[in-house]
Structures are given as C-alpha cells and as structure tokens.
Amino acid sequence: MSSGNAARKIDPRRIRPKHATISGMELDECYRAGDGAGVVGEPGQYPFTRGVYPSMYRGKTWTMRQFAGFGSAADTNARFKYLLAQGVDGLSTAFDMPTLMGYDADHARAEGEVGREGVAVSTVDDMSVLFDGIRLDEVTTSMTVNCSASVLLAMYLVIGERQGCSWKKLGGTIQNDMFKEFIAQKEWICPPQPSLRIVTDMIEFCTREVPRWHPVSISGYHIREAGSTAAQELAFTLADGIGYAQAAVERGLDPDEFGPRLSFFFNVHNDFLEEIAKIRAARRMWARIMRERFGAKTDRACLMRTHAQTSGVSLTAQQPTNNVVRVTVQALAAVLAGVQSLHTNSLDETLALPSQEAVTVALRTQQILAEESGIVNTVDPLGGSYAIEALTDRMESEAQAYIARIDALGGIVRAIELGYPQAEIADAAYAFQQATDGGEYVTVGLNGYTMEEDHKLEILKIDRAIEGEQRARVSAFKATRDRQQVAKLIEGVRSAAVEDRNLMPAVVDAVRGSVTVGEISDVYRQVFGVYQDPATV
Amino acid sequence: MSEKVLRILVAKPGLDGHDRGAKIIARALRDAGFEVIYTGLHQTPEMIAETAVQEDVDCVGLSILSGAHMTLFPRVVDLLRQKGAGDVPVFGGGIVPDEDIGELKNLGVKEIFTPGASTKQIVDWIRQHIQPRA
C-alpha cells in the first residue's frame, strides 16, 4: 500500500503532434527511395521481415481463432461448438478471474467473479465438460492463462489421455507469459523469480513431452491494452522473450530445440501503417535475437510465429456498430503484416462479453478478408513500400533503444522489480488519455461526431445463478475424493517445488488424481509467496 | 486557500488486473488538486473499507472490469456503513451494463462512469457532489 508521490510530469514530446501515429511517432510527408532499409529480403528467409513462410497465405490461410469463454464449462462448450460449425480453425479459451488467479469457485475470493469474465474451471471434470465432444487431436487450442497455467495445461493433457489422444498429437498454445502479467495484465500468484521458474519448467517439459505444444505465448497484446505505445509493446514483448530464452539456456536447453516452441501474440491497434511496421520489425528483431544473442543455428528457431488480436481498447461504447469498421481495418493490418493466427474482437466488447451474434460478425470479418478481398493471393504485398520499410526501421530502432535500457538495468526481471516498464506504460496511457480529453486525438463517436441517441445492442447476460451452481459442483467434486490420496498428491507438488525439480510431472499426477486449480495454486502461494502490487500511480 | 483539500481513495476491488483506468483516474484527480490514495490491485471489500476509514477519506472511487460489480460495489458500501463511515460517498467505473447502474444506485453507489467518460467529467462530478467530511 502506498499513498504515492506526486504524479510524474508527462514529457510534452509524448503529446501527439499533428501528423503522428496514435503512438506519437511523427511521419514524414512522403517517403522515398533510400528512406527505408536497403535490403528488403525474401519471405521465408532469415530474418523474416517479409513473413515466416515463402508462400504465406497461398500455402495456408491464417488460423481464425476466436477467444471464447463465459459462464459454466457447458455454456462455453456450446459456444466452442457453434464457432467450429461457423468455420473457426482453432479454439481459444477465456477463463474466469478465479481460475486465472488460482482460486477454486468455492473460495471466498471467487465471490461475484465466477463465470463472469470467462469460463469457470476449478476441476478436471470442468475441463472435461469444456471440451466434451471435441477431439483434442483434431483441433488446436489456445488457453489464455498465466499464473495457474501449469495446472490448466496438466488438465488439458489429462483430458487428452481420457480421449485416448497421445500427448505427442496435442497441438496448441498456453499463454503462460508471466513477465507481461507483472508489466501489464496483472494476474499473478508468486513473485517474478519463482514465476519464471514455473514458466521454464513448462518450456522444458513441453519441449520433451508435448512437442506440438507452444508452452509460452510471449504477449504484447496486454502491454498495448494497458496503454503502451507501439514501440513499447514491441520492445517489452521482445525483452520478455529474451528473458524466457535466457532462462531456458541457463536451464541447459538448446535454443534450436526450444526456439521453435516459442510463440508470440501482438495487438493490432488502429494506426494501420504503424501496426504493420511493428509486426514486420518484430520478426526481424526476434530472428536476430535468437541467432546473435542465443546462437540458434537453424532458421526454424529464429522464426517468429505470431497470433494477433484486434485492439479491445480502441473500441467504443458509443455508436458501437462503428466498431465493426475498426476491427476490419485492424484485421487487414494484421493480415498484411503476415500473422499466423488472428482473433477479431466483437463490436459489443466494451459493454460485455460477446454475444453470439456479435462474435459471428467478427468471425465473418476474417472470412471476408480471406475469401473476398484478394489480399491472400500474393505474399507480403507491402514489402518494398518506401513508407512501410522506413517505418519498419523506425519501429526497430525505437524498440532497440528500450531493449538496451532494459539490458542496462540488468534484464527484464530486474526491470520489472524496478517498475520500469510499468511506469513507461502508465505514462503513455495517461498521455493518450490527455490527448483524447483535449481533443488532439479524435475517436469517432466519442470525442468527435457524437450523437445523442446511441444504438442499443443486445448484450450477453451471465446468469447470476451460475456462481452458486459452480460452487456446488466444486464442493461435490471435492467431497467424493480419497482425502489421503489427494493429500499425497499435493505433497508431491510441494516437494517438487521445494526441491527444485520440474513441477509438471507432479502437477499432471495431481490433476489426474482430482487435485484442483486452487489446491495446486495454494502450494505455489505457500512455497513461493504471494506477489504484492507495488500500487504506484 | 482555507478550503480543505478532498481526500479520495481510488480502489481496485476483486481479482481483475485491469488497472489502466484506475491509474489514469488517480493521476487525473491528483492533477486536479485532490489528495489521492491508490490501493493497488486485488483488494477485498474489507481491505478497501478499512483503508477508507484509516485514511479518513472524503469519497471512494472503485474500478472494476471483471463483471463482479454487482457483488463487490454494494459490499464496499455496506462495510463502510458497518464501520460508521456510511456518509463516505462511493462511486464506480468500469464495464458496467446500463441495466445494472440503476440497481447499483439503489444499493447506495452514488455514480457510475462507463467507458468513454473523460477525466474532466469525473473531476467535475467530484467537485459538484463531494464535500469534505465534517
């Protein structure tokens, strides 16, 4: 708890000049030959500025992966099946706050939160209902969960076993990016060091046991949503990636083995050219980081595969139909930047979790881009554009300066402990709010082109009865277990934690034996301690 | 300048970590000349009510984006009453559907700000509606 000092003064250079991007990066009136990099390179070739594969969307369209989760596991299972029937290529799971923070639905801290911001999963039985009727070796699944990720991954593996699927055939991604939690999304259990240890355990475990799984999705998305600029998003994401790769190397893992298992996740905000430049710069920078810092020999280990999501914070509650247009522009930028998978936000997301009608429009937006717009027919159509290449270079040099600063501080863990990225983001968020409140940045429908009567959308309502039902299910599940066996399995997790053995085998055993998300997270709380928000403004 | 400066508690109840709004509001209120105390994340209603009483604040602003507002906002109001601080106004902000706003106001939450509210609107509202506690 801090009563805080006076708020930091905002650097006036952060205030957006007239012909600047949304991040405040001023553009030239016109770009010409010689403004950008001399060498544009080839798609599918190091350093992959133009894309990770030679044929890009000619070979395979990006994966349309809509993030979904609300209410009970059965509610979300029905939404998953609806989305699959409508043509999504991959599942993506949103968990509720108690699950994300490592509390079971019957915990006091879960009160009021169960099933409200995602699906409630406390037990392996909940997980089983969530994926009921969906063959896990026929879909790939992304799970957005971080501090309790080890438990949710274990549950997925156990459900796979129950379906008779080999772990070797399970494909997907678990977000598991704890650095960006401390920096931006702020769901955590233990402090940065033990959090990194758990992430590294999962990288090690998956590299050996679940070879098609991406054990971490290094995420700029939340950094941007928390208010960073595009260059900060790029820089802090890559700095986080450096932190994980460094830890994996220190664990004795080979960059050529774990490199291809790292995946990324970027935001795609409103500023079209800046966003395309950001993702192109990200690929080039990461390739060089893996080769030059970590000595990866194969190109596969240097290749940045990325998911992208359109920007939630860019949407407005006012005149919400306009959000469809924002999402379209952002999705177009993502595709022109060459992402591997994409979530398009629904027009109602500033009001509630998406309704079925809204999520259908969001998915159709991607399908229209893929089927009707023609942009999939040639690889990296913007490659060689004077402006795009020059901006790609600019993004790279701005991000490189931040990475150098983080290196000078002693790396990302130290930078987080010092609150450096957090303060940079808070400053940028405040500057943007001031630019909005002052009218220097116009958002249509919000501080320009406003209307008296807003169109009212039918929003998704979460039945308040769900919480009581889920609490009862979890209590009943716990009551039927063999207590001694459960205690023994919890002890197994504890001893792996204390003795510094890889946690995953013990966590998988525990989940198989009906230990819950909250019970395993309690072990982490007891052994590693609980991180406290520094509460700086 | 004999007027007492308002003391405002900005608090994040519940489990969600979305603190962009709370931090912006805290900073904007400071820039507007108020004294601001920010609780940080993941606070229980009990922790918030306790801090409000200990810090002797003139009002409490709650921010939530997890959908738990119907449980956690009225709980803070109730706990303040139980602690003899029922006169401390509570206002809130976040993703709160229109239909919940009326019910929250009936339960004692004085105002709710929803996405798109400017910092100026919130500062102006505080200047109009909040007085220093006697």
Side-chain angles (χ1 to χ4, degrees):
Chain A
M1 195 40 248
S2 147
S3 59
N5 306 312
R8 283 179 302 280
K9 287 281 174 243
I10 298 297
D11 181 344
R13 283 170 306 176
R14 288 177 182 278
I15 306 296
R16 188 171 174 269
K18 196 155 187 267
H19 296 289
T21 66
I22 194 170
S23 300
M25 182 165 82
E26 204 158 354
L27 301 193
D28 291 359
E29 184 174 86
C30 180
Y31 289 90
R32 298 187 168 81
D35 288 339
V39 183
V40 177
E42 284 293 317
Q45 283 183 24
Y46 184 92
F48 308 105
T49 314
R50 301 194 65 192
V52 289
Y53 304 119
S55 63
M56 286 301 291
Y57 305 133
R58 279 189 166 217
K60 182 185 176 301
T61 308
W62 67 92
T63 300
M64 299 181 194
R65 191 187 291 285
Q66 293 298 96
F67 187 41
F70 61 93
S72 68
D75 294 331
T76 299
N77 178 259
R79 177 63 70 85
F80 280 172
K81 287 176 176 165
Y82 173 80
L83 288 168
L84 288 167
Q86 298 309 316
V88 299
D89 308 297
L91 298 174
S92 177
T93 314
F95 295 102
D96 70 358
M97 288 310 316
T99 311
L100 293 177
M101 289 288 287
Y103 294 108
D104 290 339
D106 59 350
H107 192 281
R109 292 243 45 188
E111 205 180 341
E113 313 253 19
V114 176
R116 301 210 72 87
E117 203 186 327
V119 58
V121 173
S122 305
T123 72
V124 70
D125 281 9
D126 294 333
M127 198 71 158
S128 184
V129 172
L130 183 61
F131 291 99
D132 181 55
I134 299 167
R135 285 286 302 183
L136 300 192
D137 51 2
E138 289 172 8
V139 288
T140 59
T141 300
S142 169
M143 288 189 278
T144 295
V145 57
N146 296 276
C147 62
S148 53
S150 54
V151 190
L152 276 297
L153 174 62
M155 286 183 170
Y156 195 83
L157 298 178
V158 170
I159 297 306
E161 284 172 4
R162 287 187 186 175
Q163 290 188 357
C165 310
S166 151
W167 286 2
K168 308 278 179 219
K169 286 190 171 170
L170 297 181
T173 306
I174 193 149
Q175 194 166 82
N176 197 30
D177 172 4
M178 282 309 299
F179 289 147
K180 71 90 178 54
E181 291 298 321
F182 297 110
I183 294 173
Q185 186 164 244
K186 303 183 179 172
E187 288 141 22
W188 50 60
I189 296 174
C190 27
Q193 275 298 355
S195 297
L196 175 58
R197 175 257 169 112
I198 299 172
V199 174
T200 313
D201 281 359
M202 292 173 69
I203 294 173
E204 182 180 39
F205 175 83
C206 288
T207 301
R208 286 174 189 157
E209 307 286 341
V210 201
R212 290 186 57 215
W213 199 267
H214 295 288
V216 54
S217 169
I218 305 158
S219 303
Y221 187 81
H222 321 82
I223 292 170
R224 191 64 177 284
E225 292 288 295
S228 82
T229 65
Q232 289 168 345
E233 177 194 353
L234 174 58
F236 299 153
T237 306
L238 295 178
D240 291 347
I242 291 169
Y244 297 124
Q246 185 66 41
V249 167
E250 284 166 12
R251 182 70 66 93
L253 302 179
D254 177 353
D256 285 307
E257 271 184 44
F258 72 78
R261 304 325 303 156
L262 302 177
S263 67
F264 286 80
F265 173 21
F266 285 99
N267 196 298
V268 196
H269 211 293
N270 277 336
D271 205 294
F272 192 72
L273 302 179
E274 178 170 71
E275 292 305 293
I276 295 168
K278 177 187 76 185
I279 292 173
R280 296 174 96 249
R283 277 194 296 269
R284 183 157 80 203
M285 292 175 79
W286 183 247
R288 289 180 177 156
I289 287 165
M290 285 302 287
R291 178 136 304 157
E292 291 166 16
R293 266 193 202 233
F294 297 109
K297 292 177 202 69
T298 63
D299 280 356
R300 278 187 73 228
C302 301
L303 183 155
M304 170 189 275
R305 296 158 202 81
T306 189
H307 175 65
Q309 178 171 338
T310 60
S311 167
V313 291
S314 74
L315 305 184
T316 60
Q318 297 73 22
Q319 304 177 38
T321 314
N322 296 340
N323 292 332
V324 176
V325 182
R326 293 190 178 96
V327 170
T328 305
V329 171
Q330 295 165 7
L332 183 59
V335 172
L336 290 173
V339 303
Q340 279 57 63
S341 76
L342 180 62
H343 166 102
T344 33
N345 286 331
S346 297
L347 71 153
D348 55 356
E349 289 191 41
T350 50
L351 306 165
L353 296 185
S355 69
Q356 184 161 296
E357 191 186 357
V359 79
T360 307
V361 175
L363 173 61
R364 295 289 180 253
T365 304
Q366 294 197 43
Q367 290 163 337
I368 290 166
L369 288 177
E371 300 288 348
E372 301 181 22
S373 76
I375 52 174
V376 297
N377 292 328
T378 190
V379 176
D380 188 31
L382 299 186
S385 146
Y386 300 138
I388 287 291
E389 298 299 343
L391 291 180
T392 302
D393 292 355
R394 273 278 290 284
M395 291 301 300
E396 178 170 8
S397 65
E398 288 197 14
Q400 196 51 54
Y402 277 111
I403 292 172
R405 170 101 176 102
I406 289 167
D407 283 340
L409 290 173
I412 192 64
V413 173
R414 188 69 194 129
I416 289 168
E417 288 167 353
L418 293 168
Y420 169 67
Q422 299 93 310
E424 285 290 308
I425 294 167
D427 284 353
Y430 193 53
F432 181 73
Q433 184 67 40
Q434 288 181 311
T436 298
D437 289 351
E440 295 137 54
Y441 185 79
V442 173
T443 299
V444 174
L446 178 71
N447 63 348
Y449 315 98
T450 56
M451 289 164 86
E452 276 306 310
E453 283 297 313
D454 274 342
H455 170 56
K456 293 286 174 211
L457 294 174
E458 276 294 316
I459 60 167
L460 180 80
K461 295 185 182 70
I462 310 287
D463 187 349
R464 289 189 206 170
I466 280 170
E467 181 158 320
E469 291 162 14
Q470 175 66 4
R471 212 178 294 136
R473 257 194 302 273
V474 172
S475 302
F477 176 90
K478 287 180 177 172
T480 58
R481 299 176 304 177
D482 175 343
R483 280 196 193 178
Q484 278 189 326
Q485 175 68 5
V486 165
K488 204 177 120 203
L489 291 167
I490 290 174
E491 198 42 47
V493 177
R494 188 188 315 278
S495 62
V498 172
E499 292 161 20
D500 223 9
R501 280 180 283 116
N502 192 309
L503 279 160
M504 282 310 294
V507 173
V508 172
D509 284 346
V511 163
R512 219 184 259 127
S514 300
V515 181
T516 65
V517 171
E519 289 165 335
I520 294 169
S521 302
D522 280 342
V523 175
Y524 296 165
R525 278 184 270 267
Q526 290 154 11
V527 175
F528 300 125
V530 176
Y531 182 72
Q532 294 294 333
D533 182 13
T536 49
V537 168
Chain B
M1 289 295 286
S2 59
E3 213 175 304
K4 184 175 177 281
V5 175
L6 289 176
R7 278 168 74 76
I8 303 170
L9 180 66
V10 175
K12 276 290 295 172
L15 300 178
D16 89 87
H18 302 99
D19 61 359
R20 177 178 182 163
K23 286 185 163 196
I24 284 175
I25 298 304
R27 202 184 279 201
L29 297 180
R30 273 183 197 167
D31 284 358
F34 304 122
E35 264 184 59
V36 178
I37 298 143
Y38 173 53
T39 61
L41 289 161
H42 309 146
Q43 302 283 300
T44 62
E46 289 75 10
M47 292 156 89
I48 293 166
E50 186 61 36
T51 305
V53 170
Q54 277 187 5
E55 296 280 349
D56 192 25
V57 297
D58 299 305
C59 71
V60 177
L62 302 174
S63 166
I64 202 163
L65 290 96
S66 73
H69 49 271
M70 295 309 291
T71 305
L72 299 176
F73 282 5
R75 184 73 55 78
V76 173
V77 172
D78 281 349
L79 286 163
L80 284 171
R81 280 188 195 132
Q82 286 173 32
K83 289 174 184 292
D87 60 321
V88 175
V90 173
F91 67 100
I95 307 270
V96 180
D98 284 347
E99 69 208 48
D100 291 349
I101 293 175
E103 196 176 335
L104 286 170
K105 286 186 176 174
N106 287 337
L107 293 167
V109 179
K110 210 163 158 75
E111 189 56 273
I112 296 286
F113 295 95
T114 53
S118 71
T119 55
K120 183 176 181 304
Q121 274 173 277
I122 297 167
V123 168
D124 288 348
W125 181 85
I126 289 173
R127 289 205 169 116
Q128 276 169 26
H129 293 91
I130 309 297
Q131 275 84 47
R133 286 179 84 205

